[in-house]
Amino acid sequence: MAGSSAVLEDGSVLSRIDLGLLRIERVLALISGLAVFSLMVLAVVSVSGRNAMNTPLPGYVDWIEQIMPLIAFMGISYTQRDGGHIRMDILVGRLKGRVLWTAEFITTLVALILILLLIWGSWAHFDRSFDWNAPLWSRDSTIDIALPLWPAKLLAPVAFSILSLRLVVQLVGYAKGIIGGGEPAGVPLNRSVAEQAAEEAAHVSGADT
Amino acid sequence: DEWSVSVWGKPRVFTSHIEKLNEILTEKTNGEFTLNISYGGLSSNRENLDGISIGAFEMAQFCAGYHRDKNPTLTVLELPFIGVNTLEEEVAVSNAVYATDAAKEDLGRWNAMLLMPSPMPQYNIVGTGEPADSLEKFEGMRVRATGGIGQAFQTVGAVPTSVTATEAYNAMESGVVDTVAFAQHAHFAYRTIDMADWWTANLNPGTVNCPVVVNTDAYDMLSDEHKAALMEAVPMAMDHYLAEYAKILDKWEGILAEKNVQKVTYSEEDLEKFRAAAAAPIRDQWIADMTAQGMPAQELYDTMMEALKASRM
Amino acid sequence: MEPIEIGIIVSLFLLAMVVLGMRVAFAAGVAGLIGLVWIFWNKFGYDPARFGKALTIAVKTAGQVPHGKVSSQALSLIPTFILIGYLAYYAGLTKALFEAAKKWVGWLPGGLAVSTVFATAGFAAVSGASVATSAVFARIAIPEMLKIGYDKRFAAGVVAAGGTLASLIPPSAILVIYAIIVEQDVGKLLLAGFIPGAFSAVIYGALIVGMALALPNFGPPVRGFTWGERFKALPPAFPIFFVVFIIICFIYNPFGGDAWGTPTEGGALGAFVVFLMALVHGMRWPQFKDALMETAKLSAMIFTIIWGVLIYVRFLGFADLPRAFSGWLTSLDQSPMMTLVLILLAYAVLGMFMDAIGMLLLTLPVVYPAVMALNGGEMVSAADSAFGMSGPMCAIWFGILVVKMAEFCLITPPIGLNCFVVAGVRPEVSVQDVFRGVTPFFVADALTIAGLVAFPQIVLWLPSQV
Ligand code: NA
Ligand code: NA
């Protein structure tokens, strides 16, 4: 099921770090999924409150805006772990061995540089909305019921930091591939798209009675 | 100099003073100082102050109510039932508050300097069904109103409801809200006027305050000549804005008649009751909260009220 | 250097990174960030001492985008629509739909394939994602078709093509994405997808019937169901109509009274109803957790592309490229309709190599203003317009056309995601088989698109009733 990714596990230090990180990533992804579910619950509360008791949920929109970053950011590293962020693999799909690991190393390194810069930028974004001396430490708030925005803004640099750890693990894996030439642990292996799809289909099996 | 200006939406009366400012500046400086006005390309509307603080662009427009905590001093201008009746009065109270040291310091944290207001008329409400022509009828009414105006309606038993401006029409059509509080141009833009059976002509519950600011460093780097050109152009741009908005208000009267929208007028007695219920407690709460944060809240409020009085003399 | 030149160079660089296999989200983010640095440094006259300042401004500007852009109420529809699809599967709705369709239209020539198309169309009304729809039906419909002698390539092609209906028929994640990029009313766009989606399904069905009549040894019809059996097959599929009914009532009340709420609430409430059905049908924590994890993964994938591309779009805003492009396109010396057709053809070519969401996000900020300008502007009246429709209506029409093009790209080689998914689910069919089998549907899609271009009323009638 969800764990059956094509990431090689070989008991090496790198592989153990990969699995440790995966444990954190799974928890964060589950939080993201539960946040999606909470959107549904929130709508039910809002609609029934309005129609049954004429008391609409105050700040319904504000709460949705607070939940969205949870959904958008918490699963980002989990998705990167098995190569779930989409790309065009017409070219990469044809590479093999050291050439492949080198290509992967370069694109992953560029992604890491981007994410490190974005940790800086999104932290600055958080920092502008945070003030030790303000009530609730808030220097920016939602439009209706003035919820502080800094916790939601903080999620971006936090999630990006986990992602940057993941990218470092993958970089080390690719480096090992370049040196050793074999299939390294800790990186998503270049499965055919069909294999990927088969796995996707596994998630919707077993309930079609 | 070419300044980037971040606004949002489409070119409209609300941005007409900035467009005019560009026209006047270009002419005065023979094209040496111009504004490159971007409608939403440089920032989202709730992050224009952030962009100014970063230095991504030199001029921007925003509304204080979008983010109360970013600009606490300006929220005094969004208190309900201040008593402002005309756009000229709105300009007077805005400029008075903008000129205080407290407001300058507040915006100074964003490296921003207040240039001019974008005065908005009072957020009177349009509604469907039976008109709320007395205060009692506000009980249980669902109103789309944000911030201080929303709080004001709550004090007379109405239920403020969160709906974005773009969903306002939908919400009204679907009965999610019965009434919507907007300025006239927004009632046009978001088509809430198309749903209206009635409009509160003299309720005047309050409005939002949307200043135009410039990046302080960029201003300091201007030559004296360009600084002077900018400052001389501001009053002319404001006059243009007021003339343009007057046209909207004329059009508004025409549409009300054409669509047979009932104008609801409240007695002075009713208004007084509303003010007693809403204005005083919310104002006192605001002053207490802001004073606790170390802001000269009472002083700001008094400055505003004196400016209002002075503008009527 | 002029900002517009910087805009063009960086855009070409982005294209190169995507072709070389950089993940789309990160490629767009990198391009956007490099572009922003370049723009600000250009403004400072390439003074080496001020490079640090240009970098700081660029990084902080880009750093606003992820949080600022994803915390939007309208975007909340996307994860909701994805979750609905997974829950509907656990609620047993897929199987019920296929059985009902088989009993009602199985007697037609090519009956089982026609049933598959209608069942996918029905499932599309609760599923917001095309790929998920194809994956689900590949498991259910293909074995049945093979059992009665269908060509395996064709059977796989039907499922791959049928899955694309999920993005036209509401709920649709991709229509929501379009509405957000172009800042149009989500409810109206969702509503506008209904008839073109049904139209598309009917054309698919007609194509299958035609092929069955013309070709010998095509799959035989499935006959012999009694009326009793037919009516007994309906109730298990009814929940679909119930969910559709709820979602519609929240967008637009067909009874003429007030709608029940906003589209956002409707989507979320529909998902909740399906959740309850899945519980009744036996879904427990392990299945539910799996649905949540898969929703999280797909959502993270989509949102990362969204903010990554929006960093690039923010840079485009500073480079003023969209305005320049629409100026160029409207100055072309040919009829606006010709230009529109060329744009759609360009999407067909681009769609061969890109995925749907990435393609729309990357191109619409530039193409959409251009199309609106071609028609005569955002606020143009129908009488003064080039395409004979008002600005807001043109936005809806073009949205449906573009989404149909994006769906088309899910079944075209070499990168046709739906075909890969079908081949992945059925070990007995290869990717080449699916691409072969889906080819007749290119004709159907070309007909559908031509129909929507020639008769905009198919798209616009329903939303103009609201
Ligand atoms: Na759908
Ligand atoms: Na394709």
Side-chain angles (χ1 to χ4, degrees), chain A residues 97-205:
Chain A
R98 286 202 168 88
V99 187
L100 173 64
W101 307 135
T102 310
E104 298 277 25
F105 186 88
I106 293 169
T107 52
T108 308
L109 182 64
V110 175
L112 177 63
I113 294 170
L114 169 75
I115 295 302
L116 290 177
L117 287 172
L118 284 179
I119 291 173
W120 169 18
S122 59
W123 174 267
H125 191 56
F126 152 76
D127 198 33
R128 284 192 300 274
S129 68
F130 185 85
D131 183 347
W132 284 112
N133 300 316
L136 300 171
W137 303 298
S138 172
R139 269 293 163 219
D140 193 4
S141 49
T142 61
I143 195 161
D144 254 4
I145 55 171
L147 300 170
L149 277 174
W150 63 263
K153 289 186 178 179
L154 186 56
L155 290 178
V158 166
F160 293 169
S161 299
I162 307 276
L163 175 61
S164 66
L165 293 181
R166 167 55 62 197
L167 291 169
V168 169
V169 168
Q170 293 182 345
L171 275 178
V172 174
Y174 291 132
K176 282 172 95 175
I178 296 171
I179 297 163
E183 290 199 328
V187 301
L189 296 177
N190 229 12
R191 297 162 298 163
S192 72
V193 190
E195 282 171 306
Q196 276 178 42
E199 207 173 277
E200 199 164 298
H203 294 290
V204 284
S205 61

Side-chain angles (χ1 to χ4, degrees), chain C residues 351-352 409 412 415-416:
Chain C
M352 291 169 70
C409 89
T412 53
I415 308 283

Side-chain angles (χ1 to χ4, degrees), chain C residues 29 43 49 67 88 93 96-97 120 190 197 201 223 237 282 284 307 316 348 365:
Chain C
K43 198 167 169 177
H67 170 270
L93 293 177
L97 269 172
T120 51
L190 288 175
R223 292 212 180 83
R284 291 297 170 260
W307 63 249
L316 287 185

Side-chain angles (χ1 to χ4, degrees), chain C residues 194-382:
Chain C
F194 250 115
I195 296 179
F199 180 68
S200 220
V202 169
I203 295 216
Y204 283 173
L207 174 92
I208 294 167
V209 172
M211 286 175 69
L213 290 174
L215 300 173
N217 300 329
F218 199 84
V222 228
R223 292 212 180 83
F225 296 112
T226 65
W227 284 100
E229 283 172 318
R230 282 182 185 157
F231 281 106
K232 249 172 74 186
L234 286 182
F238 272 152
I240 294 271
F241 295 101
F242 180 62
V243 174
V244 174
F245 177 75
I246 288 182
I247 292 176
I248 291 182
C249 285
F250 272 82
I251 298 170
Y252 160 69
N253 189 338
F255 310 117
D258 286 346
W260 298 357
T262 59
T264 323
E265 291 172 337
L269 218 62
F272 191 74
V273 172
V274 180
F275 167 72
L276 294 181
M277 287 180 206
L279 281 186
V280 171
H281 199 256
M283 179 183 74
R284 291 297 170 260
W285 174 244
Q287 295 89 18
F288 183 49
K289 186 182 169 195
D290 200 46
L292 291 182
M293 295 292 278
E294 286 307 298
T295 304
K297 202 155 135 185
L298 209 49
S299 301
M301 190 266 269
I302 293 175
F303 279 107
T304 308
I305 296 189
I306 288 180
W307 63 249
V309 168
L310 286 175
I311 290 176
Y312 165 71
V313 168
R314 176 63 49 85
F315 150 69
L316 287 185
F318 277 91
D320 219 6
L321 198 64
R323 194 150 48 172
F325 182 71
S326 69
W328 171 74
L329 215 56
T330 45
S331 71
L332 290 181
D333 192 18
Q334 61 189 24
S335 79
M337 186 53 88
M338 186 67 196
T339 310
L340 180 75
V341 170
L342 288 177
I343 290 175
L344 292 179
L345 283 177
Y347 271 116
V349 175
L350 202 58
M352 291 169 70
F353 304 99
M354 283 196 74
D355 88 291
I357 292 169
M359 181 171 92
L360 293 198
L361 274 164
L362 282 174
T363 57
L364 280 177
V366 181
V367 173
Y368 172 76
V371 170
M372 293 307 277
L374 274 182
N375 188 44
E378 300 228 6
M379 296 324 268
V380 72
S381 70

Side-chain angles (χ1 to χ4, degrees), chain C residues 11 18 51 71 108 129 139 164 177 191 203 213 237 261 266 331 345 421 429 460 465:
Chain C
S11 299
V18 169
F51 178 79
S71 42
L108 284 166
R139 288 187 52 80
T164 67
I177 290 173
L191 211 54
I203 295 216
L213 290 174
S331 71
L345 283 177
V421 165
V429 287
L460 300 180
Q465 299 303 305

